[in-house]
Amino acid sequence: MRNLLLALPLLAAVPLMAQSALQLPGVADVSRVTAGTYQTDPGHTLVGWRVSHFGFNDYFGIFGDSTGTLTLDPKNPNAASVDITIPVGKVTTASAGLTGHLLRAGKDGGKADFFGPAPADAKFVSTKVEASGTKAKISGNLTLNGVTKPVVLDATFTGAGNNPFNKKATVGFHATTTIKRSEFGVSYGIPVVSDEVALDISVAFEKTS
């Protein structure tokens, strides 16, 4: 009897859980996207990075609180434009020591190993969008560590709908690309820490107009 009484709340919750699963606010349905201008939801926009460490395994880090805008018309996706600003100084890793090293000044006034104590924000500005269904190649210029280079993002539309908290129309995307950090003047530890950096981007945009 005691076990039955303990199980009753769980049994009651099952229909509610099933109903909740069927009513996700965001769905990968292009018909839900409306034309207009969007801004990032900084708290739910992440730029992850991955490097090979000594050839043993990969190490991960994250840039959060990214801001920017997206102009989008689902009837003409190739006319879309996007710009994202990434606060490099807010880099996060699983190691306090590594995070400190990434933002540490160079010795005796010399060049910092990585970004230094007051790094400028990174910025991506699109120059061309080639959409095909729910996927797109987004060409643009990435400025990092004072250097600007062209990059191409492989992007996928992941969802659209209204945010249930602030009621704003929201669209989400996932994108990937790979850069060489040496091209942006960050060469410390190469090759034991890989030159190639894989970027994994998850971004939510909220409509403003």
Side-chain angles (χ1 to χ4, degrees):
M1 178 63 72
R2 182 173 181 273
N3 289 338
L4 178 60
L5 291 174
L6 291 173
L8 285 176
L10 178 60
L11 293 173
V14 169
L16 294 176
M17 293 169 63
Q19 183 180 19
S20 176
L22 292 173
Q23 296 179 345
L24 286 174
V27 178
D29 180 354
V30 176
S31 69
R32 288 184 167 212
V33 180
T34 57
T37 299
Y38 294 75
Q39 290 185 343
T40 59
D41 172 2
H44 296 93
T45 296
L46 304 172
V47 179
W49 52 266
R50 176 203 306 248
V51 293
S52 173
H53 182 251
F54 289 3
F56 295 133
N57 71 324
D58 289 346
Y59 195 88
F60 305 85
I62 294 175
F63 298 108
D65 290 336
S66 295
T67 58
T69 60
L70 166 70
T71 302
L72 178 64
D73 181 353
K75 294 181 179 179
N76 187 13
N78 288 350
S81 63
V82 61
D83 69 83
I84 300 289
T85 297
I86 305 160
V88 176
K90 293 185 178 181
V91 64
T92 299
T93 77
S95 165
L98 175 58
T99 301
H101 190 183
L102 293 174
L103 300 175
R104 190 169 68 203
K107 293 181 179 179
D108 301 321
K111 183 178 181 295
D113 291 338
F114 293 102
F115 302 121
D121 293 344
K123 190 174 182 69
F124 174 80
V125 180
S126 67
T127 56
K128 183 179 181 181
V129 174
E130 298 172 281
S132 177
T134 58
K135 298 184 180 296
K137 288 193 176 294
I138 305 174
S139 301
N141 293 314
L142 174 64
T143 300
L144 173 65
N145 202 34
V147 179
T148 300
K149 295 284 184 180
V151 300
V152 178
L153 305 180
D154 291 308
T156 301
F157 165 68
T158 54
N162 292 328
N163 184 309
F165 291 101
N166 61 21
K167 311 305 180 185
K168 293 181 179 180
T170 303
V171 293
F173 297 89
H174 177 246
T176 59
T177 193
T178 300
I179 63 173
K180 288 190 174 183
R181 59 189 177 94
S182 61
E183 294 182 347
F184 295 90
V186 184
S187 300
Y188 179 85
I190 297 172
V192 293
V193 177
S194 64
D195 189 8
E196 288 195 341
V197 181
L199 300 181
D200 192 349
I201 303 157
S202 180
V203 55
F205 290 98
E206 297 179 334
K207 192 173 183 182
T208 59
S209 62

